[in-house]
Coordinates of all heavy atoms in Angstrom, one line a residue:
M1 N 44.3 145.6 97.8 CA 44.1 144.8 96.7 C 42.6 144.7 96.3 O 41.7 144.6 97.2 CB 44.5 143.3 97.0 CG 44.3 142.3 95.9 SD 45.0 140.8 96.5 CE 43.8 139.7 95.6
I2 N 42.3 145.0 95.1 CA 41.0 145.0 94.6 C 40.6 143.6 94.2 O 41.3 142.9 93.5 CB 40.8 145.9 93.4 CG1 41.1 147.3 93.9 CG2 39.4 145.8 92.8 CD1 41.1 148.4 92.8
H3 N 39.4 143.2 94.7 CA 38.9 141.8 94.3 C 38.2 141.9 93.0 O 37.5 142.8 92.7 CB 37.9 141.3 95.4 CG 37.4 140.0 95.1 ND1 36.4 139.7 94.2 CD2 37.8 138.8 95.5 CE1 36.2 138.4 94.1 NE2 37.1 137.8 94.9
T4 N 38.5 141.0 92.1 CA 37.7 140.8 90.8 C 37.3 139.4 90.7 O 37.8 138.5 91.4 CB 38.6 141.1 89.6 OG1 39.7 140.2 89.7 CG2 39.1 142.6 89.6
F5 N 36.3 139.2 90.0 CA 35.7 137.9 89.7 C 36.5 137.3 88.5 O 36.0 137.2 87.4 CB 34.2 137.9 89.5 CG 33.4 138.4 90.6 CD1 32.9 139.6 90.7 CD2 33.2 137.6 91.7 CE1 32.2 140.1 91.8 CE2 32.5 138.0 92.8 CZ 32.0 139.2 92.8
A6 N 37.7 136.8 88.8 CA 38.5 136.3 87.7 C 38.0 134.9 87.3 O 38.3 134.5 86.1 CB 39.9 136.1 88.2
D7 N 37.4 134.2 88.1 CA 37.0 132.8 87.8 C 35.5 132.7 88.0 O 34.9 133.2 88.9 CB 37.7 131.8 88.8 CG 37.4 130.4 88.4 OD1 36.8 130.1 87.4 OD2 37.9 129.5 89.2
D8 N 34.9 132.0 87.1 CA 33.4 131.8 87.1 C 33.0 131.1 88.5 O 31.9 131.4 89.0 CB 32.8 130.9 86.0 CG 32.9 131.7 84.7 OD1 33.0 132.9 84.7 OD2 32.7 131.1 83.6
N9 N 33.9 130.4 89.1 CA 33.6 129.7 90.3 C 33.4 130.7 91.4 O 32.8 130.4 92.5 CB 34.6 128.7 90.6 CG 34.5 127.5 89.7 OD1 33.5 127.1 89.1 ND2 35.7 126.9 89.3
D10 N 34.0 131.9 91.3 CA 33.9 132.9 92.3 C 32.4 133.3 92.5 O 32.0 133.6 93.6 CB 34.7 134.2 92.0 CG 36.2 133.9 92.1 OD1 36.6 132.9 92.7 OD2 37.0 134.7 91.5
Y11 N 31.7 133.3 91.5 CA 30.3 133.6 91.5 C 29.5 132.6 92.3 O 28.7 132.9 93.1 CB 29.7 133.8 90.1 CG 30.2 134.9 89.3 CD1 31.1 134.6 88.3 CD2 29.9 136.2 89.6 CE1 31.7 135.7 87.5 CE2 30.5 137.3 88.9 CZ 31.3 137.0 87.8 OH 31.9 138.0 87.1
I12 N 29.8 131.3 92.0 CA 29.1 130.2 92.6 C 29.4 130.2 94.1 O 28.5 129.9 94.9 CB 29.6 128.9 91.9 CG1 29.0 128.9 90.4 CG2 29.0 127.7 92.7 CD1 29.6 127.8 89.6
D13 N 30.6 130.6 94.5 CA 30.9 130.6 96.0 C 30.1 131.6 96.7 O 29.8 131.4 97.9 CB 32.4 130.9 96.2 CG 33.3 129.8 95.7 OD1 32.8 128.7 95.5 OD2 34.5 130.1 95.5
L14 N 29.6 132.7 96.0 CA 28.8 133.7 96.7 C 27.3 133.3 96.8 O 26.6 133.9 97.4 CB 28.9 135.0 95.9 CG 30.3 135.6 96.0 CD1 30.4 136.9 95.1 CD2 30.7 136.1 97.4
I15 N 27.0 132.2 96.1 CA 25.6 131.8 96.1 C 25.4 130.8 97.2 O 25.9 129.7 97.2 CB 25.2 131.2 94.7 CG1 25.4 132.2 93.6 CG2 23.8 130.7 94.7 CD1 25.3 131.6 92.2
S16 N 24.6 131.2 98.2 CA 24.4 130.2 99.3 C 23.2 129.3 99.0 O 23.2 128.2 99.6 CB 24.1 131.0 100.5 OG 22.9 131.8 100.4
D17 N 22.3 129.6 98.1 CA 21.2 128.8 97.8 C 21.5 127.8 96.7 O 21.6 128.2 95.6 CB 20.0 129.6 97.5 CG 18.7 128.8 97.2 OD1 18.8 127.6 97.4 OD2 17.7 129.4 97.0
N18 N 21.7 126.5 97.0 CA 22.0 125.5 96.0 C 20.9 125.1 95.1 O 21.1 124.3 94.3 CB 22.7 124.3 96.7 CG 24.0 124.6 97.3 OD1 24.7 125.5 96.8 ND2 24.4 123.9 98.3
T19 N 19.7 125.7 95.4 CA 18.6 125.2 94.6 C 18.3 126.2 93.4 O 17.2 126.1 92.8 CB 17.3 125.2 95.5 OG1 17.0 126.5 96.0 CG2 17.4 124.2 96.6
L20 N 19.2 127.1 93.1 CA 19.0 128.0 92.0 C 19.1 127.2 90.6 O 19.8 126.2 90.5 CB 20.1 129.0 91.9 CG 20.2 130.0 93.1 CD1 21.4 131.0 92.9 CD2 18.9 130.9 93.1
T21 N 18.3 127.6 89.8 CA 18.3 127.0 88.4 C 19.5 127.5 87.6 O 20.1 128.5 88.0 CB 17.0 127.4 87.6 OG1 17.0 128.8 87.3 CG2 15.7 127.0 88.4
L22 N 19.8 126.8 86.5 CA 20.9 127.3 85.7 C 20.7 128.7 85.2 O 21.6 129.5 85.2 CB 21.1 126.3 84.6 CG 22.3 126.5 83.7 CD1 23.6 126.4 84.5 CD2 22.3 125.4 82.6
E23 N 19.5 129.0 84.8 CA 19.1 130.3 84.3 C 19.4 131.4 85.4 O 19.9 132.5 85.2 CB 17.7 130.4 83.8 CG 17.3 131.7 83.3 CD 15.9 131.8 82.8 OE1 15.2 130.7 82.8 OE2 15.4 132.8 82.4
E24 N 18.9 131.1 86.7 CA 19.1 132.0 87.8 C 20.6 132.2 88.1 O 21.0 133.3 88.3 CB 18.4 131.5 89.0 CG 16.9 131.5 88.9 CD 16.2 130.8 90.1 OE1 16.8 129.8 90.6 OE2 15.1 131.3 90.5
M25 N 21.4 131.2 88.0 CA 22.8 131.3 88.2 C 23.5 132.1 87.1 O 24.3 133.0 87.4 CB 23.5 129.9 88.3 CG 23.1 129.1 89.5 SD 23.8 127.5 89.6 CE 25.5 127.8 89.5
Y26 N 23.0 132.0 85.9 CA 23.6 132.8 84.8 C 23.2 134.3 85.0 O 24.1 135.1 84.8 CB 23.0 132.3 83.5 CG 23.5 133.1 82.2 CD1 24.8 132.8 81.7 CD2 22.7 134.0 81.7 CE1 25.2 133.5 80.6 CE2 23.2 134.7 80.6 CZ 24.4 134.5 80.1 OH 24.9 135.2 79.0
N27 N 22.0 134.5 85.4 CA 21.5 135.9 85.6 C 22.3 136.5 86.7 O 22.7 137.7 86.7 CB 20.0 136.0 85.9 CG 19.2 135.7 84.6 OD1 19.7 135.9 83.5 ND2 18.0 135.3 84.8
L28 N 22.6 135.7 87.8 CA 23.3 136.2 88.9 C 24.7 136.6 88.5 O 25.3 137.6 88.9 CB 23.3 135.2 90.1 CG 23.9 135.7 91.4 CD1 23.2 136.9 91.9 CD2 23.9 134.5 92.4
K29 N 25.3 135.7 87.7 CA 26.7 135.9 87.2 C 26.7 137.2 86.4 O 27.7 138.0 86.5 CB 27.1 134.8 86.3 CG 28.5 134.9 85.7 CD 28.8 133.7 84.8 CE 30.1 134.0 84.0 NZ 30.4 133.0 83.0
E30 N 25.8 137.5 85.5 CA 25.7 138.7 84.7 C 25.6 139.9 85.7 O 26.2 141.0 85.4 CB 24.6 138.7 83.8 CG 24.9 137.8 82.6 CD 23.8 138.0 81.5 OE1 22.7 138.5 81.7 OE2 24.1 137.6 80.3
E31 N 24.8 139.8 86.7 CA 24.7 140.9 87.6 C 26.0 141.2 88.3 O 26.4 142.4 88.5 CB 23.6 140.6 88.7 CG 22.2 140.7 88.2 CD 21.2 140.3 89.2 OE1 21.4 140.6 90.4 OE2 20.2 139.7 88.8
Y32 N 26.7 140.2 88.8 CA 28.0 140.4 89.4 C 29.0 141.0 88.4 O 29.8 141.8 88.8 CB 28.5 139.1 90.0 CG 28.0 138.8 91.3 CD1 27.3 137.6 91.6 CD2 28.1 139.6 92.4 CE1 26.7 137.3 92.8 CE2 27.6 139.3 93.7 CZ 26.9 138.1 93.8 OH 26.4 137.8 95.1
Q33 N 29.0 140.6 87.2 CA 29.8 141.2 86.2 C 29.5 142.6 86.0 O 30.4 143.5 85.9 CB 29.7 140.4 84.9 CG 30.4 139.1 84.9 CD 30.2 138.2 83.6 OE1 29.1 138.4 82.9 NE2 31.1 137.4 83.3
H34 N 28.3 143.0 86.0 CA 27.9 144.4 85.9 C 28.3 145.2 87.1 O 28.9 146.3 86.9 CB 26.3 144.5 85.7 CG 25.8 145.9 85.5 ND1 26.1 146.6 84.4 CD2 25.1 146.7 86.3 CE1 25.5 147.8 84.5 NE2 24.9 147.9 85.7
I35 N 28.2 144.6 88.2 CA 28.7 145.3 89.4 C 30.2 145.5 89.4 O 30.7 146.6 89.7 CB 28.3 144.5 90.7 CG1 26.8 144.6 90.9 CG2 29.0 145.1 91.9 CD1 26.2 143.6 91.9
E36 N 30.9 144.5 89.0 CA 32.3 144.5 88.9 C 32.8 145.6 87.9 O 33.8 146.3 88.1 CB 32.9 143.1 88.5 CG 34.4 143.0 88.5 CD 34.9 143.2 89.9 OE1 34.3 142.7 90.9 OE2 36.0 143.8 90.1
Q37 N 32.1 145.7 86.8 CA 32.4 146.8 85.8 C 32.2 148.1 86.4 O 33.0 149.1 86.2 CB 31.6 146.6 84.5 CG 32.0 145.4 83.7 CD 31.0 145.2 82.6 OE1 29.9 145.8 82.5 NE2 31.3 144.2 81.7
T38 N 31.2 148.3 87.1 CA 30.9 149.6 87.8 C 32.0 149.9 88.8 O 32.5 151.0 88.8 CB 29.5 149.6 88.4 OG1 28.5 149.4 87.4 CG2 29.2 150.9 89.1
L39 N 32.3 148.9 89.7 CA 33.3 149.1 90.7 C 34.6 149.4 90.1 O 35.5 150.1 90.7 CB 33.4 147.9 91.6 CG 32.1 147.7 92.5 CD1 32.3 146.4 93.3 CD2 31.8 148.8 93.5
G40 N 34.9 148.8 88.9 CA 36.2 148.9 88.3 C 36.6 150.4 87.9 O 37.7 150.7 87.8
V41 N 35.6 151.3 87.8 CA 35.9 152.6 87.4 C 36.0 153.5 88.6 O 36.4 154.7 88.5 CB 34.9 153.2 86.4 CG1 34.9 152.4 85.1 CG2 33.5 153.3 87.0
L42 N 35.7 153.0 89.8 CA 35.8 153.8 91.0 C 37.2 153.8 91.6 O 38.0 152.9 91.1 CB 34.8 153.2 92.0 CG 33.3 153.3 91.7 CD1 32.5 152.6 92.7 CD2 32.8 154.7 91.5
S43 N 37.5 154.6 92.5 CA 38.8 154.6 93.2 C 38.9 153.3 93.9 O 37.9 152.6 94.2 CB 38.9 155.7 94.1 OG 38.0 155.5 95.3
D44 N 40.1 152.9 94.3 CA 40.4 151.7 95.0 C 39.6 151.7 96.4 O 39.0 150.6 96.7 CB 41.8 151.5 95.3 CG 42.7 151.1 94.1 OD1 42.1 150.9 93.0 OD2 43.9 151.2 94.2
R45 N 39.6 152.8 97.1 CA 38.9 152.8 98.3 C 37.4 152.7 98.1 O 36.8 151.9 98.9 CB 39.2 154.1 99.1 CG 38.5 154.1 100.5 CD 38.8 155.4 101.2 NE 38.1 156.5 100.6 CZ 38.3 157.8 101.0 NH1 39.1 158.1 102.0 NH2 37.6 158.7 100.4
D46 N 36.8 153.3 97.2 CA 35.4 153.2 97.0 C 35.0 151.8 96.6 O 34.1 151.2 97.1 CB 34.9 154.2 95.8 CG 34.8 155.6 96.3 OD1 35.0 155.9 97.5 OD2 34.6 156.4 95.4
H47 N 35.8 151.2 95.7 CA 35.7 149.8 95.2 C 35.6 148.9 96.4 O 34.7 148.1 96.6 CB 36.7 149.4 94.3 CG 36.7 148.1 93.7 ND1 36.8 147.8 92.4 CD2 36.4 146.9 94.3 CE1 36.7 146.5 92.2 NE2 36.5 145.9 93.3
Q48 N 36.7 149.0 97.3 CA 36.8 148.0 98.4 C 35.7 148.2 99.4 O 35.1 147.3 100.0 CB 38.2 148.2 99.1 CG 39.3 147.4 98.3 CD 39.0 146.0 98.1 OE1 39.1 145.5 97.0 NE2 38.6 145.2 99.1
L49 N 35.3 149.5 99.7 CA 34.3 149.8 100.7 C 32.9 149.1 100.2 O 32.3 148.5 101.0 CB 34.1 151.3 100.8 CG 35.0 152.0 101.7 CD1 35.0 153.5 101.4 CD2 34.8 151.7 103.2
L50 N 32.6 149.3 99.0 CA 31.3 148.8 98.4 C 31.4 147.3 98.4 O 30.4 146.6 98.7 CB 31.0 149.4 97.1 CG 30.7 150.9 97.1 CD1 30.6 151.5 95.7 CD2 29.4 151.2 97.9
Y51 N 32.5 146.7 97.9 CA 32.7 145.3 97.8 C 32.6 144.6 99.2 O 31.8 143.7 99.4 CB 34.0 145.0 97.1 CG 34.2 143.5 97.0 CD1 33.7 142.8 96.0 CD2 34.9 142.8 98.0 CE1 33.9 141.4 95.9 CE2 35.1 141.4 97.9 CZ 34.6 140.7 96.8 OH 34.8 139.4 96.8
N52 N 33.3 145.2 100.1 CA 33.3 144.7 101.5 C 31.9 144.7 102.1 O 31.4 143.8 102.8 CB 34.2 145.4 102.4 CG 35.7 145.1 102.0 OD1 36.0 144.2 101.3 ND2 36.6 146.0 102.5
K53 N 31.2 145.8 101.9 CA 29.9 146.1 102.5 C 28.8 145.2 101.9 O 28.0 144.5 102.6 CB 29.5 147.5 102.4 CG 28.2 147.9 103.0 CD 28.2 147.8 104.5 CE 26.9 148.3 105.1 NZ 26.9 148.3 106.5
Y54 N 28.7 145.2 100.6 CA 27.6 144.6 99.9 C 27.8 143.2 99.4 O 26.8 142.5 99.3 CB 27.0 145.5 98.8 CG 26.6 146.8 99.4 CD1 27.3 148.0 99.2 CD2 25.4 146.9 100.2 CE1 26.9 149.2 99.9 CE2 25.0 148.1 100.8 CZ 25.7 149.2 100.6 OH 25.2 150.4 101.2
L55 N 29.0 142.9 99.0 CA 29.2 141.5 98.5 C 29.7 140.6 99.6 O 29.4 139.4 99.6 CB 30.2 141.5 97.3 CG 29.6 142.3 96.1 CD1 30.7 142.3 95.0 CD2 28.3 141.6 95.6
L56 N 30.6 141.2 100.5 CA 31.0 140.3 101.6 C 30.2 140.4 102.9 O 30.3 139.6 103.8 CB 32.5 140.7 102.0 CG 33.5 140.4 100.9 CD1 34.9 140.8 101.4 CD2 33.5 138.9 100.4
G57 N 29.4 141.5 102.9 CA 28.5 141.7 104.1 C 29.3 142.1 105.4 O 28.8 141.9 106.5
L58 N 30.4 142.8 105.2 CA 31.2 143.2 106.4 C 30.5 144.3 107.1 O 29.9 145.2 106.5 CB 32.6 143.6 106.0 CG 33.5 142.6 105.4 CD1 34.9 143.2 105.2 CD2 33.6 141.3 106.2
S59 N 30.6 144.4 108.4 CA 30.1 145.5 109.2 C 31.0 146.7 109.0 O 32.1 146.6 108.5 CB 30.1 145.1 110.7 OG 31.4 145.0 111.2
D60 N 30.6 147.9 109.5 CA 31.4 149.1 109.4 C 32.7 148.9 110.1 O 33.8 149.3 109.7 CB 30.7 150.3 110.0 CG 29.5 150.7 109.1 OD1 29.4 150.2 107.9 OD2 28.7 151.5 109.5
K61 N 32.6 148.2 111.3 CA 33.8 147.9 112.1 C 34.8 147.0 111.4 O 36.0 147.3 111.3 CB 33.5 147.3 113.4 CG 34.6 147.1 114.4 CD 34.1 146.6 115.7 CE 35.3 146.5 116.7 NZ 34.8 146.1 118.1
E62 N 34.3 146.0 110.8 CA 35.1 145.1 110.0 C 35.7 145.8 108.7 O 36.9 145.6 108.4 CB 34.3 143.9 109.6 CG 33.9 143.0 110.7 CD 32.8 141.9 110.3 OE1 32.0 142.2 109.5 OE2 32.9 140.8 110.9
N63 N 34.9 146.6 108.1 CA 35.3 147.3 106.9 C 36.5 148.2 107.3 O 37.5 148.3 106.6 CB 34.2 148.1 106.3 CG 34.2 148.1 104.8 OD1 35.2 147.8 104.2 ND2 33.0 148.4 104.2
A64 N 36.3 149.0 108.4 CA 37.3 149.9 108.9 C 38.7 149.2 109.2 O 39.7 149.6 108.7 CB 36.9 150.6 110.1
A65 N 38.5 148.0 109.8 CA 39.8 147.3 110.2 C 40.4 146.8 108.9 O 41.7 146.8 108.8 CB 39.4 146.1 111.1
K66 N 39.7 146.3 108.0 CA 40.2 145.7 106.8 C 40.9 146.8 105.9 O 41.9 146.5 105.3 CB 39.1 145.0 105.9 CG 39.6 144.2 104.7 CD 38.6 143.3 104.2 CE 39.3 142.5 103.1 NZ 38.7 141.2 102.9
L67 N 40.4 148.0 105.9 CA 40.9 149.1 105.1 C 41.8 150.0 105.9 O 42.3 151.0 105.3 CB 39.8 149.8 104.4 CG 38.9 149.0 103.4 CD1 37.8 149.8 102.9 CD2 39.8 148.5 102.3
A68 N 42.0 149.8 107.2 CA 42.8 150.6 108.0 C 42.4 152.0 108.0 O 43.2 153.0 107.8 CB 44.3 150.4 107.6
I69 N 41.1 152.2 108.2 CA 40.5 153.6 108.3 C 39.8 153.6 109.6 O 39.4 152.6 110.2 CB 39.7 154.0 107.1 CG1 38.5 153.0 106.9 CG2 40.5 154.1 105.8 CD1 37.5 153.3 105.8
K70 N 39.4 154.8 110.1 CA 38.6 155.0 111.3 C 37.2 154.5 111.0 O 36.6 154.8 110.0 CB 38.7 156.4 111.8 CG 40.0 156.9 112.2 CD 39.9 158.3 112.7 CE 41.3 158.8 113.0 NZ 41.2 160.2 113.5
E71 N 36.7 153.8 112.0 CA 35.3 153.3 111.9 C 34.3 154.4 111.7 O 33.4 154.3 111.0 CB 34.9 152.4 113.1 CG 33.6 151.8 113.1 CD 33.3 151.0 114.3 OE1 34.1 150.8 115.1 OE2 32.1 150.5 114.3
A72 N 34.6 155.5 112.4 CA 33.7 156.7 112.3 C 33.6 157.3 110.9 O 32.6 157.9 110.5 CB 34.2 157.8 113.3
N73 N 34.6 157.0 110.1 CA 34.6 157.5 108.7 C 34.0 156.6 107.7 O 33.6 157.0 106.6 CB 36.1 157.8 108.2 CG 36.7 158.9 109.0 OD1 36.0 159.8 109.6 ND2 38.0 158.9 109.1
V74 N 33.8 155.4 108.1 CA 33.2 154.3 107.1 C 31.9 154.8 106.5 O 31.7 154.7 105.3 CB 33.2 153.0 107.7 CG1 32.4 152.0 106.8 CG2 34.6 152.4 108.1
R75 N 31.0 155.2 107.4 CA 29.6 155.6 106.9 C 29.7 156.8 105.9 O 29.1 156.7 104.8 CB 28.8 156.1 108.0 CG 28.2 155.0 108.8 CD 26.8 154.6 108.3 NE 26.4 153.4 108.9 CZ 25.9 152.4 108.1 NH1 25.7 152.6 106.8 NH2 25.5 151.3 108.7
S76 N 30.4 157.8 106.1 CA 30.5 158.9 105.2 C 31.2 158.5 103.9 O 30.9 158.8 102.8 CB 31.2 160.1 105.8 OG 32.5 159.8 106.2
Y77 N 32.3 157.7 104.0 CA 33.0 157.2 102.8 C 32.0 156.3 102.0 O 32.1 156.4 100.8 CB 34.2 156.3 103.2 CG 35.4 157.1 103.8 CD1 36.4 156.5 104.4 CD2 35.5 158.5 103.7 CE1 37.5 157.2 105.0 CE2 36.5 159.2 104.2 CZ 37.5 158.5 104.8 OH 38.6 159.2 105.4
L78 N 31.2 155.4 102.7 CA 30.3 154.6 101.9 C 29.2 155.4 101.2 O 28.9 155.1 100.1 CB 29.6 153.6 102.9 CG 30.4 152.3 103.1 CD1 29.7 151.5 104.3 CD2 30.4 151.4 101.9
T79 N 28.8 156.5 101.9 CA 27.8 157.4 101.3 C 28.3 158.0 100.0 O 27.7 158.0 98.9 CB 27.3 158.4 102.2 OG1 26.7 157.8 103.4 CG2 26.3 159.4 101.6
R80 N 29.5 158.5 100.1 CA 30.2 159.1 98.9 C 30.4 158.0 97.8 O 30.2 158.3 96.6 CB 31.5 159.7 99.3 CG 31.2 161.0 100.1 CD 32.6 161.6 100.5 NE 32.3 162.5 101.6 CZ 33.2 162.6 102.7 NH1 34.2 161.9 102.8 NH2 32.9 163.5 103.6
A81 N 30.9 156.8 98.2 CA 31.1 155.8 97.2 C 29.9 155.3 96.5 O 29.8 155.1 95.3 CB 31.8 154.6 97.9
R82 N 28.7 155.2 97.3 CA 27.5 154.9 96.7 C 27.0 156.0 95.7 O 26.5 155.7 94.6 CB 26.4 154.7 97.7 CG 26.5 153.4 98.4 CD 25.2 153.2 99.3 NE 25.1 154.1 100.4 CZ 25.6 153.9 101.6 NH1 26.1 152.7 101.9 NH2 25.5 154.8 102.5
R83 N 27.2 157.2 96.0 CA 26.8 158.3 95.1 C 27.6 158.2 93.8 O 27.1 158.4 92.7 CB 27.0 159.7 95.8 CG 26.0 160.0 96.8 CD 26.2 161.4 97.4 NE 25.2 161.6 98.5 CZ 25.5 162.3 99.6 NH1 26.7 162.9 99.7 NH2 24.6 162.4 100.5
R84 N 29.0 158.0 94.0 CA 29.8 157.9 92.8 C 29.4 156.7 91.9 O 29.4 156.8 90.7 CB 31.2 157.9 93.2 CG 31.8 159.2 93.6 CD 33.3 159.2 93.8 NE 33.7 158.7 95.2 CZ 33.9 159.5 96.2 NH1 33.7 160.8 96.2 NH2 34.3 158.9 97.3
A85 N 29.1 155.6 92.6 CA 28.7 154.4 91.8 C 27.4 154.6 91.1 O 27.2 154.2 90.0 CB 28.6 153.2 92.8
M86 N 26.4 155.3 91.8 CA 25.2 155.7 91.1 C 25.4 156.6 89.9 O 24.7 156.4 88.9 CB 24.2 156.3 92.1 CG 23.8 155.3 93.2 SD 23.0 153.8 92.6 CE 21.4 154.5 92.0
R87 N 26.3 157.5 90.0 CA 26.6 158.4 88.9 C 27.1 157.6 87.7 O 26.8 157.8 86.5 CB 27.6 159.5 89.2 CG 26.9 160.7 89.7 CD 27.8 161.9 89.9 NE 27.8 162.2 91.3 CZ 28.9 162.2 92.1 NH1 30.1 161.9 91.7 NH2 28.7 162.5 93.4
V88 N 28.0 156.6 88.0 CA 28.6 155.7 86.9 C 27.4 155.0 86.3 O 27.4 154.9 85.1 CB 29.7 154.8 87.5 CG1 30.0 153.7 86.5 CG2 30.9 155.6 88.0
L89 N 26.6 154.4 87.1 CA 25.4 153.6 86.6 C 24.5 154.5 85.7 O 24.0 154.1 84.6 CB 24.7 152.9 87.7 CG 25.4 151.8 88.4 CD1 24.6 151.3 89.6 CD2 25.6 150.6 87.4
A90 N 24.2 155.7 86.2 CA 23.4 156.6 85.4 C 24.0 157.0 84.1 O 23.4 157.1 83.1 CB 23.1 157.9 86.3
D91 N 25.3 157.2 84.1 CA 26.0 157.6 82.9 C 26.0 156.4 81.9 O 25.8 156.6 80.7 CB 27.5 157.9 83.1 CG 27.6 159.3 83.9 OD1 26.6 160.0 83.9 OD2 28.7 159.5 84.4
K92 N 26.1 155.2 82.4 CA 26.1 154.0 81.5 C 24.6 153.8 80.9 O 24.5 153.4 79.8 CB 26.4 152.8 82.2 CG 27.9 152.6 82.5 CD 28.3 151.3 83.1 CE 29.8 151.2 83.3 NZ 30.1 149.8 83.8
G93 N 23.6 154.2 81.7 CA 22.3 154.1 81.3 C 21.9 155.1 80.2 O 21.1 154.8 79.4
E94 N 22.7 156.2 80.1 CA 22.4 157.2 79.1 C 23.0 156.8 77.8 O 22.7 157.3 76.7 CB 23.0 158.5 79.5 CG 22.3 159.2 80.7 CD 23.0 160.4 81.2 OE1 24.0 160.8 80.7 OE2 22.4 161.0 82.2
N95 N 24.0 155.9 77.8 CA 24.7 155.5 76.6 C 24.0 154.4 75.8 O 23.3 153.7 76.3 CB 26.1 155.1 76.8 CG 27.0 156.2 77.4 OD1 26.7 157.4 77.1 ND2 28.0 155.9 78.2

């Protein structure tokens, strides 16, 4: 299952610092939407790997368990997923 930020409150749950200004919260929300758009064009596995690693902060072991893949493969899968995500971002930057 791919996680999406369906509700604005999902963004707020990810913010641990309650002292953010309204403007900072808005900017953070936009950043998460941009990330979600980028992840949305990746494969399910790439999406989940990156989401688990960078948004949820899961370790390689936790990521492997959650996705039912070998822990030894997580690093190489993440490297490839990051490269593909960077290509998507670069392509968007050209448009």
Side-chain angles (χ1 to χ4, degrees):
M1 179 176 146
I2 295 177
H3 183 277
T4 59
F5 294 106
D7 184 5
D8 288 345
N9 292 329
D10 289 343
Y11 297 105
I12 294 170
D13 291 342
L14 293 173
I15 302 170
S16 61
D17 184 358
N18 292 331
T19 63
L20 293 176
T21 67
L22 186 57
E23 181 179 356
E24 289 170 328
M25 289 177 63
Y26 180 79
N27 289 337
L28 188 60
K29 177 183 173 184
E30 284 188 343
E31 287 178 36
Y32 279 120
Q33 287 174 331
H34 182 69
I35 292 168
E36 188 65 38
Q37 289 171 353
T38 300
L39 292 178
V41 299
L42 299 175
S43 70
D44 289 351
R45 184 178 70 187
D46 286 354
H47 180 135
Q48 280 305 130
L49 281 163
L50 294 170
Y51 179 84
N52 292 345
K53 177 72 173 180
Y54 297 107
L55 295 177
L56 296 182
L58 296 185
S59 68
D60 291 349
K61 184 176 184 173
E62 292 167 323
N63 217 342
K66 187 165 185 152
L67 298 176
I69 59 177
K70 293 180 182 180
E71 183 179 355
N73 294 337
V74 171
R75 280 265 169 228
S76 60
Y77 290 165
L78 275 169
T79 298
R80 292 180 196 137
R82 281 190 296 266
R83 285 183 188 147
R84 286 187 277 267
M86 292 303 289
R87 268 190 242 121
V88 169
L89 290 171
D91 290 346
K92 284 185 179 184
E94 292 175 0
N95 296 331

